[in-house]
Amino acid sequence: MKMTTTSFSKKKTKLSKKEAANELGTFFYSVLAKLLFLIPITILLLILIFLWSSSSTIISGKIIHLCFQSRKLNDLYCISAGTQPNLEAPSSFSSNVTTTATDDLQQKSTTRLGIPIPPGYHAFRNGMVKSDEELLVAYNDVEDQLVVHRSWTSSNHNATICDGRGIYVYELPTKFNKDLVSQCADMIPWVDLCNYFNNDAMGESVQKLGKGWYQTHQYSLELIFHSRVLNHPCRVHNTSEAELFYVPFYAGLDVLRWHFKNVSNDVKDSLGLELVKWLEAQPTWFKRSGKDHVFVLGKISWDFRRYSNSNWGSRFLELDEMQNPVKLLIERQPWHLNDVGIPHPTFFHPQSDDDITTWQLKTIEANRKSLVTFAGAARPDAPESIRSILINQCISTKTGECRFLNCSSGACDQPESIIELFIESEFCLQPPGDSPTRKSVFDSLISGCIPVIFDPFTAYYQYPWHLPEDYKKYSVFIDQEDVRNMKVNVVERLMKIPAGERQNMRRYIINELLPGLVYADPKSKLEKFQDAFSITMNNLFERLNRLEM
C-alpha cells in the first residue's frame, strides 16, 4: 500500500466516518504486518552472522558437537547430533544448556553440583562482571565439560597392562627441555631451583618425614612426568607402534624464566612457536590432527593464555595448532575441553606399595590436636581476598581450636613444617591465592586433613580424574562470598561438624584418594595401587579410544 496520510485525508471526504475508520485500521494493520515480517528476518540474519563468526565443530566418537563461543562470557555452548540413528548424546553436551541454566536460576541459586551462586553482580575472571544468570550458565558449562572428562576414565586398574597401546616420547632438541633446566639458578630472583630439580626433580630427600619424602617444588611437574613416561612399560621406540605421542616441552620453565625479566612478548612466545614448527615437520603430528599428542605444563593455564592488554605469560595455548592436543596442567582453563587438571606434585614420592600403606596407617592413627589450621599469608594488595578475614577468625579463637602458620615468614618452605602441621589437624583452610588452585590442597589431603574449599575452581572444577564428583566426600565447601560479607565464622561452622562425620571423610580420603594423588618415584614398582601418573596415563589412552569410536 502506497497511500500516504495526505491522500487518505482527501479520500475520506467521500467516505462515511465508519468507512474511514475501517480503511485507516486496514492501513495500519498492513504496515504493522510488514514490519513484523521484517523483524524475524533481521534477527535471523544477525544470529547467523554471529554463529558463523564464533562457532566450531568438535567430533567426539559418534557425536558431532557444534559449539558456540560467547564473546561476553567466554563460555562454551554446544548442540550435539549423532552420526548414527538413535544415538544418544552424552549429557555433558546438551542442546539446551542455556535454557536449562535459565530455568534452574528461577528455581534455585545453585549449580547442578550444588555450588551456590551468591546474589548480585560479581567480579569474575579477568575483571568481567557477571549477573546471577550469567554465573549459573558459566558454572554449569564447566560442570558439563567435567562430565566429558569423567567419561574418559579408564576401567583399567593395572598400569602395567598395555594391550598393544604404546606411547612414543619425542626426542626434542635440548633447547625445549634440558637447556631450560640448566637455567634453574636464575629463573626466580629469590629462589635457586637447581636443588629442587635433583633426583628426577623430586628434590632433596627429607629424612625427618621418612622414606619417600622429598623437597619437591610446585613447578616440578613437567620434569617428574617426563621421568615417569621414560620408564613407562607401554613406552615404544617406533612411531608406528604408538597411539599416544608425548611432547616433553617444559613450557612452564620456559614461561617462568621470563616472568620477572623485562623482555618483549615476542621473546616470551618465541620458543613455543619454534616447537610448533618442529612438530609440523613430523609426519606423526598430522596422523590425527594432533589429537593423539600430550603436553604436560607445570604451571597454571593462564600463564600460557596471555591477553592482548597484558604482558604476563605467553600465548602458547592460544595458538591454533595447540587446540587439538590434550594439555595436562596443575590448573586448567575451565572452558577449554582439552585442558585437563592433574594434581600438583606433593612432597611424597613412594617407591613401593608398602611405602603408601605405612603412610596411610600413620595418618589414620595420628593425634589430631587442632580442629582447624591455616598455612598461608595475607594478600593485602588483593582486596577481594578472604585470607585476612580467615586469619583474623583463626587467631581470635579463645579456646585455641585454630592454628595459623604465617607463610610470609618463610615457615612454609620446609615440608616438615607443613606436613607435621596438617597431620595434627582435622580441617585445613584452602582459600584461593594468586590463582584459584593451591598445592596445599594436595598436601592436606595426603596428610588426612580435610580441606575447606571456598571457590569451586580451587578443586571441584579442576581434577575430574583424581577427585570424585561428590566433593562432600572429601571436603567442606564454604562460599567465599559469605566469608567476605561476614555472614559466617568459619571456625564456628567447622566446630558443628560431628566427629563421626569427620572420621568418615578422613577414612575416605586416606584409603580411597591418597594413593592416586601422589606421583611415585620414577624407579617405583607399584602393584596394588595406582598413583596420579598411572591414573592419568590410563585415562589418556581411554580418551583416545573414545574419540575414535
Side-chain angles (χ1 to χ4, degrees):
M1 174 181 289
K2 297 183 179 180
M3 181 181 294
T4 64
T5 55
T6 302
S7 62
F8 176 79
S9 63
K10 291 180 180 178
K11 185 178 180 182
K12 72 178 181 178
T13 58
K14 300 179 181 179
L15 300 174
S16 66
K17 290 183 178 181
K18 184 176 181 180
E19 291 173 333
N22 289 338
E23 187 159 345
L24 179 61
T26 303
F27 167 76
F28 281 114
Y29 279 128
S30 176
V31 173
L32 182 61
K34 288 185 177 181
L35 289 175
L36 292 176
F37 177 76
L38 291 174
I39 289 173
I41 296 177
T42 304
I43 293 174
L44 180 61
L45 286 174
L46 290 173
I47 292 174
L48 289 174
I49 292 171
F50 172 78
L51 296 183
W52 174 81
S53 64
S54 61
S55 66
S56 59
T57 303
I58 302 172
I59 300 176
S60 175
K62 298 183 178 68
I63 305 293
I64 297 177
H65 313 285
L66 181 60
C67 299
F68 313 111
Q69 190 78 16
S70 165
R71 292 182 177 87
K72 183 177 181 182
L73 301 180
N74 287 334
D75 297 339
L76 186 70
Y77 305 91
C78 296
I79 299 175
S80 302
T83 57
Q84 294 180 359
N86 303 320
L87 185 65
E88 183 177 352
S91 60
S92 52
F93 280 108
S94 174
S95 61
N96 64 342
V97 169
T98 306
T99 303
T100 302
T102 304
D103 293 344
D104 286 349
L105 184 66
Q106 298 171 355
Q107 301 172 11
K108 59 183 180 180
S109 58
T110 60
T111 70
R112 300 182 189 105
L113 288 183
I115 303 297
I117 302 297
Y121 281 80
H122 322 274
F124 201 57
R125 301 287 175 261
N126 309 302
M128 292 185 293
V129 176
K130 290 178 178 288
S131 65
D132 298 353
E133 181 176 347
E134 291 173 324
L135 269 187
L136 188 58
V137 171
Y139 279 31
N140 280 336
D141 283 347
V142 177
E143 294 178 7
D144 286 341
Q145 287 200 3
L146 295 179
V147 173
V148 178
H149 286 181
R150 289 192 170 95
S151 74
W152 298 334
T153 302
S154 171
S155 59
N156 176 24
H157 299 294
N158 191 328
T160 62
I161 297 178
C162 298
D163 291 333
R165 305 176 305 174
I167 181 167
Y168 180 83
V169 182
Y170 282 113
E171 287 288 340
L172 297 180
T174 57
K175 64 182 176 181
F176 295 115
N177 41 51
K178 293 180 182 178
D179 292 351
L180 294 171
V181 177
S182 67
Q183 302 177 39
C184 55
D186 63 350
M187 280 188 174
I188 304 178
W190 57 89
V191 179
D192 185 340
L193 295 177
C194 296
N195 288 336
Y196 291 102
F197 294 161
N198 291 336
N199 295 321
D200 293 309
M202 293 184 295
E204 299 298 325
S205 176
V206 181
Q207 299 294 333
K208 187 175 180 180
L209 288 174
K211 186 179 178 182
W213 289 87
Y214 297 85
Q215 181 88 21
T216 305
H217 197 274
Q218 61 178 334
Y219 296 149
S220 300
L221 180 62
E222 293 162 351
L223 290 76
I224 291 173
F225 207 95
H226 191 185
S227 296
R228 291 295 304 277
V229 176
L230 291 176
N231 291 280
H232 196 278
C234 299
R235 182 191 176 191
V236 296
H237 298 274
N238 190 328
T239 57
S240 63
E241 301 173 2
E243 287 191 9
L244 283 175
F245 295 84
Y246 170 61
V247 186
F249 173 39
Y250 298 167
L253 297 188
D254 174 41
V255 74
L256 182 62
R257 62 178 174 155
W258 303 127
H259 274 341
F260 309 102
K261 295 181 176 66
N262 186 20
V263 298
S264 69
N265 288 339
D266 289 340
V267 171
K268 297 173 186 176
D269 297 338
S270 59
L271 196 59
L273 291 171
E274 287 185 47
L275 176 77
V276 168
K277 290 181 180 178
W278 188 91
L279 286 171
E280 288 179 332
Q282 314 304 313
T284 48
W285 176 251
F286 299 98
K287 184 179 178 181
R288 294 188 179 95
S289 302
K291 295 178 182 178
D292 51 0
H293 281 60
V294 179
F295 291 78
V296 177
L297 298 95
K299 294 189 94 272
I300 66 174
S301 181
W302 311 102
D303 287 339
F304 311 99
R305 300 185 184 277
R306 187 184 66 245
Y307 291 89
S308 57
N309 59 347
S310 171
N311 291 320
W312 183 266
S314 74
R315 296 279 296 171
F316 182 58
L317 292 188
E318 293 296 309
L319 299 176
D320 290 341
E321 296 84 355
M322 289 302 299
Q323 302 316 300
N324 284 339
V326 62
K327 286 80 66 176
L328 307 175
L329 304 110
I330 55 176
E331 179 177 320
R332 66 183 294 261
Q333 208 281 22
W335 291 277
H336 280 256
L337 185 64
N338 289 333
D339 273 23
V340 180
I342 61 175
H344 288 249
T346 67
F347 303 117
F348 187 35
H349 304 281
Q351 288 190 0
S352 66
D353 294 329
D354 288 343
D355 290 347
I356 295 178
T357 302
T358 299
W359 180 251
Q360 286 176 315
L361 291 174
K362 183 173 181 177
T363 54
I364 284 287
E365 298 171 355
N367 180 18
R368 308 273 168 180
K369 302 175 184 178
S370 302
L371 177 69
V372 187
T373 284
F374 177 40
R379 290 285 194 275
D381 297 331
E384 75 282 358
S385 175
I386 62 171
R387 289 180 169 225
S388 295
I389 299 174
L390 294 177
I391 292 170
N392 289 334
Q393 291 184 0
C394 182
I395 62 179
S396 62
T397 54
K398 297 180 180 179
T399 52
E401 290 91 353
C402 188
R403 294 170 65 186
F404 169 56
L405 179 63
N406 191 346
C407 291
S408 62
S409 63
C412 300
D413 294 340
Q414 300 302 317
E416 307 97 306
S417 302
I418 295 294
I419 298 303
E420 290 176 356
L421 179 68
F422 286 177
I423 203 172
E424 294 178 351
S425 305
E426 297 270 8
F427 297 100
C428 291
L429 306 184
Q430 303 293 347
D434 297 326
S435 71
T437 65
R438 298 189 78 201
K439 175 182 180 292
S440 180
V441 170
F442 295 98
D443 290 332
S444 66
L445 284 169
I446 67 169
S447 303
C449 186
I450 301 167
V452 182
I453 306 296
F454 301 90
D455 185 335
F457 293 91
T458 297
Y460 309 151
Y461 290 168
Q462 293 291 341
Y463 311 105
W465 291 351
H466 298 83
L467 294 176
E469 183 178 42
D470 186 358
Y471 57 85
K472 296 178 182 179
K473 287 184 176 181
Y474 67 91
S475 69
V476 174
F477 181 74
I478 300 177
D479 185 16
Q480 60 183 335
E481 287 297 319
D482 289 342
V483 177
R484 187 176 293 115
N485 296 323
M486 301 295 189
K487 293 182 179 180
V488 60
N489 184 294
V490 173
V491 178
E492 292 177 359
R493 171 75 65 84
L494 297 174
M495 290 175 65
K496 296 178 181 179
I497 299 178
E501 186 176 336
R502 301 198 302 262
Q503 189 176 35
N504 289 337
M505 292 174 69
R506 182 170 299 105
R507 285 175 176 169
Y508 178 79
I509 290 170
I510 294 171
N511 294 327
E512 302 296 329
L513 297 184
L514 189 155
L517 301 179
V518 299
Y519 295 93
D521 188 306
K523 300 178 289 294
S524 64
K525 298 293 183 182
L526 300 184
E527 297 179 358
K528 177 182 177 182
F529 298 109
Q530 278 198 99
D531 72 336
F533 171 80
S534 297
I535 292 172
T536 301
M537 288 300 302
N538 284 337
N539 290 353
L540 285 173
F541 281 117
E542 183 65 24
R543 169 188 173 272
L544 193 60
N545 290 339
R546 295 292 178 90
L547 293 178
E548 293 178 341
M549 288 175 60

